[in-house]
Amino acid sequence: MQARTWHLGDAHQSLVLASFGDSLPEAVYWGPPLPEKESLQSLAAASATDVTGGMVDSNAPISLSPEASRTFPGQAGLAGRDAEGNPLTPDFRFAGEASNDHGLTLTYEDTALDLSLVFDLTLTPENSLLQMQTQLESQGRITIDWLAAPVMPVPAHTGEMIEFSGRWCAEFQTRRLPFAPGARVRDNRTGRSDHAHFPGLIVCSAQTSNTSGEAYAFHYAWSGGHRMVAEELADGRRHVQFGHASASMKGNHTFCTAPLLATYAASGFNSAAVRFQRHARNRLVSGEKSPRPVHYNCWEAVYFDHKIEELKSIASRAADLGAERFVLDDGWFGLRDNDTSSLGDWGIDRRKYPDGLAPLVEHVKGLGLEFGIWFEPEMINEDSDLFRSRPEWVLGPLNQVRGRQQLCLDMSRDDVRNYLYDCIAEVLSTNDIGYIKWDHNRVLPIVDAAQTEGTYALIDRLRADFPHVEIESCASGGGRVDFGILKRTQRVWLSDSNDALERQRIQHDAALFLPASVTGSHVGPRKCHTSGRTLNMKFRAWTAAQRHMGFEMDPRELTDEEAAVLKHVTGWWKANRDWMVHADILRLDCPDPALIAEQQLAEDKSRFVVFAALTRPSNQILQPPLRLTGLEAGAQYTIKLINREDAADLSRGSPFLKENDLVASGQYLMSHGLNLPWCFPETIWVLEAQRI
């Protein structure tokens, strides 16, 4: 049977689609790039599978939206009901196509049910990411329970998946699981992308590492609840689906998924991670300040206890340490002395700021710092003027369980969004403010896509009217970190934990998708407020210097030695940030599980920096050589251990880097690696390198 075929491909991957008998298209090939002369018709014909006893007479395809009407035995790509509540079982047929150099749009229709299904697929030329979306349109009123973004098969030889879980202050936990018969379903019904449900998945083989082996990586670019299905059918075929969380889509006639980003990578997790990092850095995020300013956030210094003279003193000390942006956190508005009141009342608290914010803003600006401010627009306290006047604006029933003493506003309402816009615009218009920390401190009582779409609309409106204002996405830390929110913001707060040991792991695993330029990382107090752990300043400062650097403690409490270390590391970060924010973060494969190491490689590959953090005692006395990656094998590099003075007295030998700069080939550095000095746990070695 002659098939309609399409090919999206570049130097890194190929995706071949085929439509048989004008039925929905299926991916008959996804993997390494195919030669130009490859016969797509042959690939389509070769995709047919056999049938035998105990099977139906023809295997239902894993199409871009598997159909129950084709006797598909797994999760269908569409589940819905008509106006009378009867299940929809459409039989879509080809209706049209449109294409350009990097993508295509395929339209299919079921004329009997007055439904059309549209697939938009693009292979981004800069980063080799597939960006795919599904849209369903109905002439009549229908209810949709599930609509998957384009469904992608994954090959049987991969065998494993890496999914993401976590919790508050321990985000981005990775779990490596085997594929098994049946479906692995993650249905995130928290209403945000969430600490426990980062919307990503990596399918790989048991042998895949950071630097070698095949990987198929997925990210659903959506900030609301989402659902992931990774399914192995009884016949052994496997597929991956992403969409909005179950029962979260509303509407009568048009339904659309968020973009699903996906890529095939032939040489390990890093090759996939770099594509996501570059996409976020170069194509997605816009309007960020350059150079990226060093933050100071006052939350862990004062909490709700705002005294203007103390804040001025703190700002002065932060500026002396190297801060370039001062962020006034929660507690400046309403009658906000704790977390039980005033959310929704976004007027300045005249008890704390009798002359408004102007005196503090002017002091901060006089120090050469940008002024930033905290909002939590989507939330409301019952002890607030807003709640007393507009209780009907609350999302969900009033007898719901509270979270952090607060309720949520219904962001689908125009009047709610208009009120919030007016409040925020008033503060921004009457004060010289360049930054918003946008928080979101509880899960939602109702999973509804309209809530996320309303938040997007409010942020879009504010960005259009205040283009000079950067926005950070914070949701109890990492509760809303995804490419949907990053399309509208310039930074994410990866975790409320400033514990540098926790941060090492969180940052390392988040680098599978996120670049350094958007990832906030702060030097916290000597004794961490969330873990109770005490860590030395060198470890805390170098950990923060691996991402978008900042401070979040009372800087007046630092010893002279701590202040000197922080100023030194901050100065180093400033001297290197212009190239580091455009660098690729390459995770290094470490034989010693106690070591977390990464290599940040410049865009032109002329230089790099390696951070190697020993997080606990090693299982052996000496660490094995640390092998690097991504270098030119024939090029020569000069390597310098820039903090060799941190070597402990128990490091009694003379490894070369302890006293000398090393000149070696890229081949040697990748094949043999670097011998680092012995060190105590909670030590970070920092190595700078230049290509000669």
Side-chain angles (χ1 to χ4, degrees):
M1 178 190 299
Q2 192 78 359
R4 296 181 186 272
T5 58
W6 301 271
H7 178 213
L8 290 175
D10 59 16
H12 303 288
Q13 62 182 318
S14 284
L15 172 66
V16 178
L17 303 175
S19 173
F20 300 92
D22 283 345
S23 60
L24 290 181
E26 55 188 285
V28 297
Y29 177 87
W30 183 27
L34 296 171
E36 290 184 11
K37 295 183 179 180
E38 189 80 60
S39 169
L40 302 187
Q41 286 296 327
S42 294
L43 299 187
S47 69
T49 57
D50 204 355
V51 295
T52 185
M55 300 178 70
V56 293
D57 295 340
S58 177
N59 292 316
I62 300 177
S63 69
L64 297 186
S65 183
E67 295 171 283
S69 63
R70 301 288 299 276
T71 321
F72 185 71
Q75 169 70 57
L78 167 63
R81 292 158 283 147
D82 64 18
E84 285 73 43
N86 301 309
L88 293 172
T89 55
D91 184 15
F92 289 106
R93 287 293 180 264
F94 179 79
E97 65 177 283
S99 62
N100 55 45
D101 290 343
H102 306 293
L104 65 148
T105 300
L106 304 176
T107 302
Y108 285 74
E109 294 180 349
D110 183 323
T111 54
L113 295 178
D114 286 331
L115 297 175
S116 66
L117 197 62
V118 180
F119 304 105
D120 283 313
L121 304 101
T122 299
L123 182 59
T124 59
E126 306 96 332
N127 308 309
S128 194
L129 276 184
L130 290 161
Q131 182 167 300
M132 305 175 290
Q133 216 162 348
T134 303
Q135 180 169 302
L136 177 70
E137 296 182 0
S138 172
Q139 296 302 310
R141 180 174 182 145
I142 60 174
T143 299
I144 294 301
D145 299 312
W146 172 244
L147 179 65
V151 177
M152 298 296 286
V154 290
H157 69 261
T158 49
E160 294 189 353
M161 68 182 89
I162 296 175
E163 64 174 24
F164 296 84
S165 59
R167 59 171 174 80
W168 178 71
C169 285
E171 295 84 349
F172 280 93
Q173 296 181 29
T174 58
R175 287 163 45 90
R176 196 159 182 160
L177 305 172
F179 261 96
R184 173 68 177 170
V185 179
R186 297 288 300 273
D187 199 8
N188 168 23
R189 302 179 62 80
T190 67
R192 59 185 186 183
S193 35
D194 198 55
H195 306 79
H197 298 278
F198 174 74
L201 181 75
I202 301 173
V203 177
C204 59
S205 68
Q207 294 74 39
T208 304
S209 69
N210 289 320
T211 56
S212 66
E214 290 186 303
Y216 294 80
F218 302 85
H219 174 66
Y220 192 57
W222 174 243
S223 307
H226 71 277
R227 187 170 188 251
M228 180 207 80
V229 180
E231 185 170 34
E232 180 179 309
L233 303 176
D235 56 31
R237 293 179 296 161
R238 296 167 177 160
H239 65 96
V240 171
Q241 300 189 21
F242 276 92
H244 288 9
S246 297
S248 72
M249 302 192 78
K250 296 289 174 66
N252 297 325
H253 302 284
T254 301
F255 306 84
C256 191
T257 70
L260 174 63
L261 304 175
T263 193
Y264 163 81
S267 50
F269 302 130
N270 283 339
S271 53
V274 163
R275 294 174 198 171
F276 283 100
Q277 291 172 23
R278 291 178 180 177
H279 183 76
R281 187 173 67 233
N282 301 330
R283 188 181 175 97
L284 193 65
V285 176
S286 63
E288 68 272 31
K289 304 284 197 314
S290 180
R292 305 300 283 137
V294 176
H295 272 233
Y296 175 76
N297 186 290
C298 71
W299 175 243
E300 294 195 29
V302 301
Y303 292 105
F304 297 102
D305 187 18
H306 289 210
K307 296 181 176 67
I308 191 166
E309 293 307 317
E310 283 196 11
L311 289 167
K312 287 180 179 180
S313 174
I314 288 170
S316 297
R317 182 64 171 135
D320 179 64
L321 292 167
E324 298 164 310
R325 172 184 281 160
F326 177 92
V327 181
L328 184 67
D329 213 288
D330 192 357
W332 57 268
F333 56 92
L335 299 174
R336 182 76 163 173
D337 295 327
N338 53 52
D339 65 3
T340 67
S341 77
S342 300
L343 286 176
D345 298 344
W346 295 109
I348 296 164
D349 186 345
R350 296 291 171 169
R351 301 171 307 158
K352 300 175 183 178
Y353 300 93
D355 298 314
L357 294 177
L360 180 59
V361 173
E362 290 168 5
H363 178 80
V364 167
K365 298 292 290 185
L367 296 168
L369 278 64
E370 182 180 70
F371 191 88
I373 197 165
W374 181 95
F375 283 97
E376 194 175 4
E378 297 148 88
M379 302 298 162
I380 185 172
N381 289 123
E382 290 165 275
D383 183 8
S384 67
D385 292 340
L386 181 63
F387 179 83
R388 286 184 281 271
S389 63
R390 292 288 186 271
E392 70 276 13
W393 284 6
V394 169
L395 180 69
L398 290 181
N399 64 351
Q400 66 186 264
V401 175
R402 274 56 175 160
R404 204 195 184 215
Q405 313 291 329
Q406 62 198 50
L407 299 163
C408 306
L409 291 169
D410 185 349
M411 297 298 291
S412 70
R413 296 179 58 130
D414 290 340
D415 48 5
V416 169
R417 295 196 304 275
N418 289 336
Y419 168 81
L420 292 173
Y421 173 86
D422 290 343
C423 290
I424 298 170
E426 172 68 17
V427 175
L428 298 181
S429 299
T430 56
N431 297 279
D432 189 357
I433 292 173
Y435 184 83
I436 291 174
K437 179 181 176 182
W438 188 298
D439 217 337
H440 184 286
N441 277 305
R442 63 156 292 173
V443 300
L444 301 186
I446 294 173
V447 186
D448 189 346
Q451 185 76 5
T452 301
E453 290 163 355
T455 299
Y456 283 171
L458 175 58
I459 295 174
D460 291 344
R461 183 180 175 189
L462 286 165
R463 283 203 62 192
D465 291 348
F466 300 93
H468 66 286
V469 177
E470 275 196 27
I471 300 176
E472 174 185 74
S473 173
C474 174
S476 302
R480 188 157 62 187
V481 175
D482 58 79
F483 281 28
I485 203 69
L486 275 172
K487 186 178 179 181
R488 297 162 170 86
T489 59
Q490 291 81 23
R491 194 180 197 249
V492 293
W493 184 229
L494 203 55
S495 177
D496 273 348
S497 175
N498 281 319
D499 182 311
L501 278 175
E502 277 290 346
R503 275 280 177 162
Q504 279 291 324
R505 184 202 57 74
I506 295 169
Q507 292 175 178
H508 189 68
D509 291 333
L512 289 166
F513 294 92
L514 298 178
S517 57
V518 304
T519 306
S521 187
H522 293 176
V523 181
R526 187 182 305 117
K527 183 176 180 180
C528 179
H529 290 191
T530 57
S531 70
R533 187 155 38 200
T534 298
L535 296 167
N536 69 76
M537 176 56 80
K538 291 177 181 178
F539 194 77
R540 286 145 58 203
W542 283 119
T543 296
Q546 292 176 235
R547 298 297 184 265
H548 185 189
M549 189 176 187
F551 322 144
E552 191 158 349
M553 87 295 275
D554 190 336
R556 301 169 300 175
E557 296 178 358
L558 300 180
T559 66
D560 291 345
E561 181 182 0
E562 288 173 328
V565 169
L566 183 54
K567 291 178 78 168
H568 168 71
V569 176
T570 302
W572 178 90
W573 189 81
K574 287 181 177 180
N576 288 275
R577 61 183 164 187
D578 286 346
W579 72 266
M580 284 177 60
V581 297
H582 298 288
D584 297 328
I585 303 173
L586 305 175
R587 303 181 351 147
L588 297 179
D589 292 321
C590 301
D592 182 355
L595 191 70
I596 294 177
E598 68 180 32
Q599 175 185 329
Q600 297 191 17
L601 181 62
E603 208 167 19
D604 64 2
K605 302 186 184 301
S606 65
R607 62 194 301 181
F608 62 85
V609 60
V610 171
F611 298 94
L614 189 65
T615 60
R616 58 177 175 80
S618 296
N619 293 334
Q620 59 279 330
I621 294 175
L622 298 178
Q623 294 173 10
L626 180 63
R627 299 201 299 171
L628 307 187
T629 189
L631 305 179
E632 296 177 28
Q636 295 285 307
Y637 296 85
T638 300
I639 314 286
K640 179 178 183 178
L641 182 61
I642 67 170
N643 62 332
R644 52 177 60 123
E645 70 278 1
D646 293 346
D649 291 341
L650 281 178
S651 173
R652 298 183 296 157
S654 300
F656 192 81
L657 281 168
K658 192 174 174 183
E659 298 176 357
N660 307 277
D661 297 348
L662 173 67
V663 176
S665 68
Q667 186 65 68
Y668 173 85
L669 296 171
M670 293 187 292
S671 299
H672 180 274
L674 298 169
N675 286 318
L676 299 175
W678 182 92
C679 65
F680 287 115
E682 301 170 15
T683 297
I684 297 179
W685 292 123
V686 185
L687 301 107
E688 286 185 331
Q690 291 273 356
R691 185 178 60 203
I692 301 174

